[in-house]
Amino acid sequence: MKGRLCLLLAGLLAAGAVLTGCAGAKSASSESSQVFAMDTVMLLTVYGDQAKEGIDQATQTIQKLEKLWSATDETSEIWTLNHSEGDWVDLSPETEQVLSRSLELCALTGGALDLTAYSAVQAWGFPTGEYRVPGAEELAQVAASIDYTQVELNEQASQARLPENMSLDLGAVAKGRLGEVLSQQLKELGVTSALLELGGNVQTVGAKPDGSKWRVGIQDPASQEGGYLGVVQVADQAVVTSGDYQRYFEQDGQRYCHIMDPDTASPAQSGVDSVTVIGSDGTVCDALSTALFVMGEEKGIQFWKDHPELNFEAIFIAQDGTLAVTAGLADNFTLADGYQNREVTVMER
Ligand code: AMP
Ligand code: MG
């Protein structure tokens, strides 16, 4: 099992890879499982006596939340909301909670995160893979249908509705929220050490079984092989990356990625190749990785300065290869071998 796990981890470098995770595992019993959900491979590793139960419960939760939150599954609550023609739709507590928190984060980020950017995601062909570059007139129309403030949520009745011409998706926050939910569930079971690799999201529960921090690799956006350019050390935190290399298509020499600028209804072009957000709240980390990618480095750093209450740190990798890391990472981020000459600016508050 452990040998297989090491191989799987090596194969998952494209996500936020977790490094030398196997070394710390030697003395502790563990269970691991690979789950394909939310369009990505998820690798769960849980340590300790509750490992088996933890994995089983986590797998069920992943499947349940995917069924509720998928934008493309015609039985999901999000699909129903998008096709309800302006009517109120009943929500499960899980969907109500993630929508409520996400809409708050849309507001906090000034709409850089906007769940209703899904119309743009669709116009560019991302859900189907039939990629296209829409014309200016179409883009203006799509941009007019992006406005998270139009989403109505009645928390008492656990219902939501949105105008007929709008649609939303949870792609920017679902895996972060999932990591948070799984982490809470595992802790309730008594688990003190687990590693949840949820595509580009890594959620750590506690520290490694030997008490040391997890080492999570930050991918070099320019590396074809998914090599990592730095390592961040964390315990009981989420590490979430949004990057233009994760999902994109190219046309006429131009790269179009899956993260949309809600103002233009077009792929964000803010001068960064990736943004990694690290913090104790997985939902915040996921929401902000997307929002800060849209904002770019300068506005993103300003946002970090303005919002200490959100309790997060960030790594910006600019298109010219330079890095900016926020002050809280100064002691926890190191460049990998082969990247020692990279320019890294530590941003102070
Ligand atoms: P992430 O990988 O977390 O950055 O999320 C990207 C996904 O969120 C995309 O695949 C879209 O489904 C959706 N999305 C794209 N742009 C935005 C945006 N500006 N705000 C909210 N969701 C978005
Ligand atoms: Mg995100």
Side-chain angles (χ1 to χ4, degrees), residues 169-239:
D169 90 311
L170 297 174
V173 293
K175 284 181 276 172
R177 174 67 185 159
L178 173 65
E180 193 189 347
V181 169
L182 295 180
S183 166
Q184 281 163 3
Q185 278 184 349
L186 288 169
K187 286 178 183 171
E188 277 162 26
L189 265 184
V191 170
T192 54
S193 178
L195 180 63
L196 313 171
E197 295 178 79
L198 315 170
N201 289 35
V202 175
Q203 173 72 53
T204 63
V205 179
K208 289 205 278 187
D210 66 4
S212 63
K213 288 186 172 179
W214 305 99
R215 292 163 48 78
V216 180
I218 306 301
Q219 188 170 334
D220 173 6
S223 161
Q224 302 292 328
E225 301 80 36
Y228 58 93
L229 58 61
V231 177
V232 63
Q233 302 207 51
V234 295
D236 215 28
Q237 287 189 310
V239 180

Side-chain angles (χ1 to χ4, degrees), residues 102-114 147-149 261-263 288 291 294-295 299 303 307:
S102 304
L103 290 169
E104 277 172 25
L105 288 157
C106 289
L108 268 175
T109 60
L113 178 79
D114 190 323
D147 179 3
Y148 70 90
T149 66
D261 182 337
D263 287 340
L288 294 186
V294 172
M295 290 181 199
K299 286 190 191 148
F303 183 86
H307 292 281

Side-chain angles (χ1 to χ4, degrees), residues 3-56:
R4 190 175 139 257
L5 175 59
C6 289
L7 275 179
L8 286 173
L9 284 173
L12 273 182
L13 275 174
V18 178
L19 312 165
T20 61
C22 307
K26 273 192 180 121
S27 55
S29 63
S30 69
E31 287 282 336
S32 65
S33 171
Q34 206 178 349
V35 185
F36 186 81
M38 299 188 180
D39 265 346
T40 193
V41 180
M42 301 186 175
L43 182 64
L44 318 175
T45 309
V46 180
Y47 297 93
D49 296 341
Q50 290 81 15
K52 169 90 176 67
E53 201 181 339
I55 290 275
D56 290 348

Side-chain angles (χ1 to χ4, degrees), residues 113 171-174 176 201 240-242 283 285-291:
L113 178 79
V173 293
N201 289 35
V240 182
T241 299
S242 288
T283 312
C285 292
D286 202 356
L288 294 186
S289 69
T290 310

